[in-house]
Amino acid sequence: MKFPRAFLFPLSALLCFACAAPRPSPPAEHVRQLWQARASALLTIQRWELRGRLAIRTDERGGQASLTWRRDGARHSIRLNGPLGRGVVQVTQDETGATLQDAEQRLFHAANAEELLYRYSGWRLPLANLNYWVRGVPVPDLPGARELDDSGRLKTLRQQGWEVQYQDYAQSGNHELPSRLTLTYAPDRATLELPAMEVRLVIDRWAQVQ
């Protein structure tokens, strides 16, 4: 059976339009349920190892380093290798406090890893918060705002003056975890506690996630 040409053209145009039309977003309630299940699972993770690259810059200076971060319960071990850490720097933290060992085997101590790394390098990284942000969840019991993607994953998170943008995720065992994120800090001009800062983190490998 032959169709008139006048019929074929609009039909083909309609089919092309249907192919090009964007897929509708899932209902907000469905996304919220995905997020709640995802966040609950991620918050239970107490052990991991990640390897990646870190770059930091402010208006006045910048630095970069390779990064290995291991967590086992309350114990954290962070190894930085590169200009950011002035060589190889190993920071460990547990219930008793934090210790930093530099490339010359000198030891430094402080109450927590964030303060210790700041004293040594001049960079104040939000390590306590990154413990959660790097897993793709907000810090519990802290105010904040979030934006989710259609899969119920964090796309943007704002907490304690920082904005975290999640650009990519990777599968590691049963969990889908961030693999590329950018943190920006814009200080409150009334306090100016920290300079404006941008932190880029690329995670090449997750392992031992439990």
Side-chain angles (χ1 to χ4, degrees):
M1 179 179 181
K2 293 185 178 181
F3 293 96
R5 291 186 177 180
F7 176 79
L8 289 175
F9 176 77
L11 177 60
S12 60
L14 179 62
L15 291 174
C16 290
F17 177 79
C19 294
R23 185 174 60 183
S25 298
E29 178 61 21
H30 177 66
V31 172
R32 187 180 67 83
Q33 291 174 354
L34 290 174
W35 161 248
Q36 289 179 337
R38 175 183 178 80
S40 296
L42 294 175
L43 284 170
T44 65
I45 297 174
Q46 295 296 312
R47 184 181 180 191
W48 76 72
E49 175 185 308
L50 67 81
R51 297 175 184 267
R53 293 156 284 149
L54 181 71
I56 307 176
R57 70 176 178 87
T58 66
D59 290 339
E60 298 180 354
R61 64 181 182 137
Q64 57 186 354
S66 62
L67 167 71
T68 301
W69 186 355
R70 296 184 179 92
R71 181 188 177 188
D72 189 355
R75 180 177 174 82
H76 294 256
S77 173
I78 300 172
R79 179 183 175 92
L80 297 170
N81 187 359
L84 174 64
R86 296 193 285 180
V88 179
V89 172
Q90 183 85 24
V91 184
T92 58
Q93 178 176 324
D94 57 23
E95 298 93 335
T96 63
T99 300
L100 182 148
Q101 180 176 296
D102 68 7
E104 300 174 8
Q105 306 303 307
R106 296 179 299 174
L107 295 177
F108 303 86
H109 304 276
N112 59 70
E114 186 172 321
E115 182 64 29
L116 187 55
L117 187 60
Y118 173 65
R119 291 182 188 177
Y120 182 80
S121 69
W123 296 107
R124 188 178 288 279
L125 294 174
L127 294 177
N129 290 347
L130 266 172
N131 174 41
Y132 294 93
W133 296 346
V134 78
R135 284 179 275 166
V137 290
V139 181
D141 303 322
L142 283 183
R146 65 175 183 262
E147 182 181 353
L148 305 176
D149 65 15
D150 289 348
S151 298
R153 307 174 302 188
L154 277 181
K155 186 161 62 173
T156 305
L157 172 66
R158 297 176 184 86
Q159 268 192 322
Q160 289 199 315
W162 288 87
E163 179 177 287
V164 187
Q165 296 180 345
Y166 293 85
Q167 285 114 3
D168 208 354
Y169 286 81
Q171 194 73 31
S172 179
N174 296 325
H175 300 283
E176 196 175 17
L177 295 164
S179 60
R180 190 161 58 95
L181 52 158
T182 299
L183 298 82
T184 54
Y185 180 81
D188 183 344
R189 296 188 178 276
T191 59
L192 295 178
E193 295 178 357
L194 294 173
M197 184 184 303
E198 180 182 84
V199 181
R200 294 182 180 271
L201 177 59
V202 176
I203 301 170
D204 299 314
R205 178 175 178 267
W206 282 95
Q208 301 179 18
V209 179
Q210 298 178 17

